[in-house]
Amino acid sequence: MADNFDFAALAKSWQQQPVAQETPPSAADLAQASQRQREQKLLMYAEWFGAVIMAIAAVWLLVDLPGWLGTISALFLALGALSTTYISWQVHRPILAYDNWSSGGLLGFRRKTCQLSLRYYRYTQLSCVALMLFTLTLWLLHLWQLDDTPLMMLLFYSLIVSPACVFGIYRLQQKVRQKTAELAHLSALAEEFS
């Protein structure tokens, strides 16, 4: 086969091909995106409400339970309230503020929500690790006899909360793998689209 293509003519012919016009997204696509934004808003408000409850509980523990146990518990709750508020704002705000509803924009929205879901799963895993550290701290307080840690509290965090956290971390890791694969697919689609 001869290698004598006229690349200039081929390029000119290619540029004269009719370009398919971008079709606007369907009403079903827009309804799904709108529903996702409503769900994110409700989730954000619920997380903020939980953060307020944690902050109130932290103040109550400082006042009602003097000593190491009250101070450490209040510290963990206060840090939990602050991190919940910050993470909630960082994860949900970009989804709530999104407003490009063209076909490419809708693909970008799906990609952005996938990225933020990944971030949310990782933050939740860190929260589980923090609860396990709190359990360890309770045991250290008990073993060093720095404070009178109730046995029921130790058993609750050791036998219920910590195993639930380990299981939660495992399940979230499975979701992270799924979202990572979905994000790779959406990123490939976005590159083809642009």
Side-chain angles (χ1 to χ4, degrees):
M1 204 155 43
D3 231 359
N4 56 359
F5 290 118
D6 185 356
F7 286 107
L10 189 62
K12 186 175 182 182
S13 169
W14 181 260
Q15 288 171 350
Q16 291 174 348
Q17 294 292 322
V19 177
Q21 298 230 343
E22 181 179 343
T23 57
S26 69
D29 289 335
L30 291 175
Q32 285 178 348
S34 178
Q35 176 65 25
R36 176 64 191 249
Q37 282 186 316
R38 279 193 301 276
E39 289 170 0
Q40 290 296 127
K41 187 181 290 187
L42 288 174
L43 185 59
M44 183 177 73
Y45 289 153
E47 288 173 356
W48 287 358
F49 180 69
V52 168
I53 290 174
M54 283 191 277
I56 291 169
V59 172
W60 174 74
L61 281 173
L62 276 177
V63 172
D64 196 53
L65 192 60
W68 282 100
L69 180 61
T71 304
I72 290 175
S73 299
L75 179 66
F76 268 94
L77 279 171
L79 287 174
L82 288 174
S83 65
T84 297
T85 305
Y86 174 75
I87 291 165
S88 180
W89 179 251
Q90 289 296 313
V91 169
H92 302 307
R93 180 184 46 83
I95 294 174
L96 296 176
Y98 200 87
D99 64 352
N100 180 2
W101 301 119
S102 64
S103 293
L106 198 57
L107 179 61
F109 177 75
R110 289 185 179 143
R111 186 174 175 216
K112 188 72 165 171
T113 57
C114 191
Q115 288 171 333
L116 293 170
S117 293
L118 269 172
R119 186 184 300 176
Y120 189 73
Y121 293 153
R122 290 187 177 120
Y123 285 145
T124 306
Q125 286 178 320
L126 286 175
S127 298
C128 289
V129 170
L131 277 171
M132 292 166 62
L133 285 174
F134 179 68
T135 304
L136 178 65
T137 305
L138 289 178
W139 275 106
L140 291 174
L141 285 174
H142 179 72
L143 292 174
W144 290 340
Q145 298 177 351
L146 293 174
D147 208 338
D148 186 26
T149 310
L151 183 61
M152 287 304 293
M153 188 177 191
L154 286 171
L155 292 176
F156 174 74
Y157 277 97
S158 299
L159 300 178
I160 296 174
V161 174
S162 291
C165 284
V166 170
F167 180 72
I169 289 171
Y170 169 73
R171 290 288 296 152
L172 285 167
Q173 191 58 38
Q174 289 178 327
K175 289 185 175 191
V176 163
R177 281 195 291 273
Q178 289 172 349
K179 283 291 180 186
T180 303
E182 185 181 334
L183 181 60
H185 177 69
L186 289 171
S187 296
L189 280 176
E191 281 196 22
E192 287 176 15
F193 198 86
S194 58

